[in-house]
Amino acid sequence: MATFMIYSSKEKQALELITAAKSVGAAAVKAVCINDEAQANALAAAGAEVLLINNDAISLADVAAVASALGQVAAQLGADTILLSSDRRGKEAAGRLAAILDAGCLTDISAIKANGDKIECQRNALGGATVATQYIASDKKIIAIRPKTFDAPGAGSGSVNAMTVDVKASAVKLIETKTRGGDSVDIEAAEALVVVGQGLNSKDDLPAVEALAKKLGGEVACSKPVATDKKWLSEERIVGLSGKKCKPELAIILGISGQVQFTVGIRDAKVIVAVNSDENATINGMADYILTADMHDVIKEMNSSL
Amino acid sequence: MNIVVAMKQVPDLQQVRIRNREPVFTDVPLVLGNIDKNALEAAVAIKESGDANVIALSAGNEDVEDTIKEALAAGADEAFLVLDDKLNGAESGVVAQVLAAAVKKIDDVGLILFGEGSGDNYSGQVGSRVAELLGLPQVAYASALELKGDKALVTRSLEDCTEIVEVTLPAVVTVLSDINEARIPSVTQILKAGKKPKEVLELDEVGVKIPPAASVVTVSNLAPETERKRIVVKSVAELIQSLTTEGVIGR
Ligand SMILES: Cc1cc2nc3c(=O)[nH]c(=O)nc-3n(C[C@H](O)[C@H](O)[C@H](O)COP(=O)(O)OP(=O)(O)OC[C@H]3O[C@@H](n4cnc5c(N)ncnc54)[C@H](O)[C@@H]3O)c2cc1C
């Protein structure tokens, strides 16, 4: 029987990992918390056997220290199956911990299933063109699971115990943390999405896009370059491989070419509409309704008809 | 100071076709990963504003010798390649060992740059693995990078915040695609690229053995089944009519 250990810097995701471990048959779940007593208590209240490390020498900004601490706890516990959250911090730690433990490692996992003594994992491959089912065959396994893949577990009675680890002097110094300008939108929860891409002429066209989303009872989302290159919308609104995976009832996709790293984030929508000025745009191949037109005209007309 | 940029040869994903849900790679050209090009650009930017030598490092099959020209044309001063057909599709753990062993053969390395994820697998492990194998500090997901003496100032961009961290060199940094816009080399640069120095080693020469058993096994890798109607509508009115019939608007 595998010995499971979980870790995430975020409480919500750590809770999800408890459910994940149980879904593949973990009888007991050991959880590591680093300098976060509140998280330790929350995980214990959800049934985890928490090992709490309080050590000022470990900064989350220094992933070498975090991975080293996790490696030491894993060794002490004899943990062989380690679940991490596949957010950026989790992914950064995953590779490092994998090298420490000489473990096989899979990241960005969107589903796990026990099959005999194997844990079969699903992840997007080839930019999202395919979904690969893989398992780790080495003794030590590290699986980083996408946030929101599992729900939080119900209440349980766990425990919190202190754990000490040794860490080396850090070569990484945190100078400043800036919180992101609060866009708290949750495009994954929206029933309808109006998704705009680089076909959008300017930032000044956004109010009309927002008006349309509102009329449809949904949210505005975008392709990656609209957020990361043009910075017209927040990164919270990116659909795709490095953004969110959405399954709205309706997705109206305007001015987006339809490269696979984008489409992987929207292909589970129930109804897809593609509006593109190019009648041969790749996105048309995955749409239910195809309208070849200038997206700005379409937005205007939809706003006045709805 | 040498700046090493690790770059992966991948199939050009825009040209991979799906047939019977299987990806088809025949005649798909091999290119360098997109984000790897941003890592190269970051290195070249440092070189242009100071003093550094940029080395493009890649491990892969024999084709890499040709593929890497793109990096030499886009500003790398030399290439360091570990070539072996056994490295075709090699897993992250093995590639990390090869890259770490190669870096050890290069003098005066100040920075080792990676893209945050490879163009094909995008699993984002190799940079972190190499950092651990070399015992170096790291900062991933960099959206800005600046050298300051024997340190680098890096902006790490996370989901809910950005961190500005100072890291002592030598260090590993993985970059996001938004860190810069990678240059597209000119024809003359492409022609000159072939003349730039290349060091080519075999797997034995870096002392890495491919383990007999894979640590990650792929059960299947298929495109999801998608059935879309692909109905061409002529007007907004017709579109609204259809969506109303579907029951997705006017609820
Ligand atoms: C590892 C990796 C991860 C990535 N992750 C993501 C991701 O999560 N999400 C993402 O979106 N991308 C991602 N990308 C980038 C992706 O490959 C594409 O570059 C991107 O999706 C293109 O955005 P776009 O379709 O908006 O722009 P373009 O490809 O430039 O397409 C613009 C489209 O607009 C159309 N158009 C132009 N003007 C008009 C008009 N007036 N009216 C109507 N149509 C018009 C054009 O015909 C064209 O089809 C990733 C790439 C990599 C390498």
Side-chain angles (χ1 to χ4, degrees):
Chain A
M1 184 66 208
T3 301
F4 285 83
M5 177 179 121
I6 66 151
Y7 169 75
S8 172
S9 62
K10 292 265 184 326
E11 176 179 317
K12 184 169 181 290
Q13 289 158 28
L15 285 167
E16 293 168 8
L17 294 176
I18 297 178
T19 314
K22 291 195 170 150
S23 80
V24 287
V29 181
K30 319 249 187 210
V32 185
C33 293
I34 299 177
N35 298 334
D36 189 344
E37 200 162 337
Q39 190 198 131
N41 292 331
L43 301 188
E49 295 166 23
V50 179
L51 287 316
L52 174 60
I53 300 167
N54 276 321
N55 186 336
D56 289 341
I58 306 175
S59 153
L60 290 188
D62 182 8
V63 70
V66 171
S68 160
L70 294 174
Q72 292 171 52
V73 182
Q76 287 197 39
L77 296 177
D80 51 19
T81 306
I82 296 160
L83 306 186
L84 302 173
S85 54
S86 201
D87 52 358
R88 286 185 175 171
R89 277 208 203 284
K91 280 176 78 170
E92 188 175 352
R96 190 122 198 168
L97 184 58
I100 293 175
L101 298 176
D102 196 15
C105 175
L106 288 167
T107 59
D108 269 329
I109 297 304
S110 55
I112 58 174
K113 194 179 83 186
N115 183 358
D117 58 355
K118 299 183 182 91
I119 300 174
E120 288 185 348
C121 302
Q122 283 193 351
R123 68 187 305 276
N124 288 306
L126 299 176
T130 55
V131 177
T133 301
Q134 297 176 301
Y135 66 87
I136 302 174
S138 53
D139 295 344
K140 301 272 179 7
K141 304 168 178 63
I142 296 175
I143 303 174
I145 300 176
R146 291 179 63 89
K148 295 191 192 166
T149 301
F150 289 89
D151 292 329
S157 57
S159 55
V160 179
N161 286 297
M163 188 78 160
T164 50
V165 293
D166 295 321
V167 286
K168 282 196 282 185
S170 180
V172 175
K173 191 167 121 203
L174 179 62
I175 309 280
E176 192 188 345
T177 304
K178 294 182 196 161
T179 42
R180 284 270 170 88
D183 188 349
S184 58
V185 67
D186 184 2
I187 60 167
E188 284 163 309
E191 291 270 303
L193 284 178
V194 177
V195 198
V196 293
Q198 298 208 90
L200 192 70
N201 281 336
S202 92
K203 197 175 180 200
D204 299 337
D205 297 310
L206 279 176
V209 179
E210 278 151 18
L212 177 58
K214 208 160 177 196
K215 283 186 188 223
L216 296 168
E219 296 286 356
V220 175
C222 62
S223 66
K224 187 165 172 243
V226 172
T228 59
D229 299 353
K230 303 212 150 106
K231 308 208 185 308
W232 292 346
L233 288 165
S234 78
E235 291 183 26
E236 284 299 299
R237 294 180 191 264
I238 299 173
V239 167
L241 186 66
S242 46
K244 304 280 166 66
K245 309 265 159 39
C246 304
K247 22 186 155 184
E249 292 286 299
L250 172 63
I252 302 190
I253 299 173
L254 305 116
I256 289 180
S257 55
Q259 287 173 46
V260 53
Q261 296 94 349
F262 168 78
T263 57
V264 61
I266 202 72
R267 67 181 171 216
D268 294 329
K270 183 164 165 253
V271 176
I272 295 179
V273 177
V275 179
N276 199 300
S277 47
D278 174 5
E279 65 172 334
N280 296 318
T282 312
I283 191 76
N284 293 348
M286 62 161 310
D288 296 294
Y289 297 98
I290 298 161
L291 180 55
T292 302
D294 186 301
M295 62 181 285
H296 305 87
D297 298 340
V298 172
I299 293 168
K300 207 158 129 199
E301 223 181 309
M302 287 191 87
N303 270 329
S304 57
S305 327
L306 288 171
Chain B
M1 178 181 88
N2 283 312
I3 302 179
V4 174
V5 184
M7 305 185 80
K8 183 177 182 187
Q9 169 182 269
V10 297
D12 182 353
L13 292 190
Q14 269 175 270
Q15 306 204 33
V16 174
R17 293 283 162 264
I18 300 292
R19 204 169 299 141
N20 296 327
R21 298 184 61 202
E22 300 268 3
V24 182
F25 296 101
T26 354
D27 297 333
V28 172
L30 296 166
V31 294
L32 294 170
N34 272 324
I35 313 179
D36 302 0
K37 292 181 199 167
N38 297 105
L40 176 64
E41 182 65 40
V44 175
I46 292 171
K47 173 178 110 173
E48 286 174 347
S49 68
D51 187 21
N53 183 57
V54 178
I55 302 175
L57 167 66
S58 190
N61 64 17
E62 309 280 313
D63 295 329
V64 174
E65 206 166 342
D66 194 43
T67 310
I68 204 71
K69 278 190 192 144
E70 206 182 337
L72 293 168
D77 298 299
E78 50 189 289
F80 195 106
L81 310 177
V82 183
L83 304 184
D84 198 306
D85 283 341
K86 284 190 222 115
L87 288 169
N88 229 347
E91 51 187 47
S92 307
V94 172
V95 173
Q97 282 181 35
V98 173
L99 296 179
V103 170
K104 282 190 192 154
K105 293 195 175 283
I106 303 172
D107 291 331
D108 189 25
V109 174
L111 261 181
I112 307 162
L113 300 182
F114 289 80
E116 51 132 336
S118 64
D120 52 354
N121 204 26
Y122 193 58
S123 101
Q125 293 178 38
V126 175
S128 289
R129 281 184 183 264
V130 168
E132 178 63 34
L133 292 173
L134 295 172
L136 296 180
Q138 71 179 91
V139 185
Y141 304 105
S143 58
L145 167 64
E146 192 191 324
L147 285 201
K148 277 194 160 179
D150 65 345
K151 296 193 164 60
L153 209 56
V154 189
T155 304
R156 177 195 266 134
S157 191
L158 298 171
E159 288 84 353
D160 53 354
C161 68
T162 55
E163 288 179 344
I164 299 176
V165 297
E166 191 184 77
V167 56
T168 308
L169 304 184
V172 169
V173 174
T174 81
V175 309
L176 290 165
S177 63
D178 26 319
I179 192 170
N180 54 40
E181 195 161 327
R183 72 193 65 190
I184 296 166
S186 67
V187 178
T188 11
Q189 284 168 322
I190 294 170
L191 292 174
K192 280 190 192 151
K195 298 195 186 71
K196 287 191 174 176
K198 254 187 260 172
E199 174 136 8
V200 181
L201 297 187
E202 286 174 17
L203 210 43
D204 302 344
E205 292 173 88
V206 292
V208 176
K209 290 217 160 39
I210 309 256
S215 71
V216 172
V217 178
T218 301
V219 179
S220 66
N221 185 23
L222 297 174
E225 272 173 303
T226 43
E227 296 245 329
R228 293 288 167 185
K229 298 194 178 108
R230 294 199 228 166
I231 297 170
V232 175
V233 292
K234 293 267 156 356
S235 66
V236 169
E238 196 186 325
L239 176 63
I240 291 177
Q241 171 80 58
S242 309
L243 295 180
T244 311
T245 314
E246 290 267 4
V248 287
I249 59 171
R251 279 162 295 167

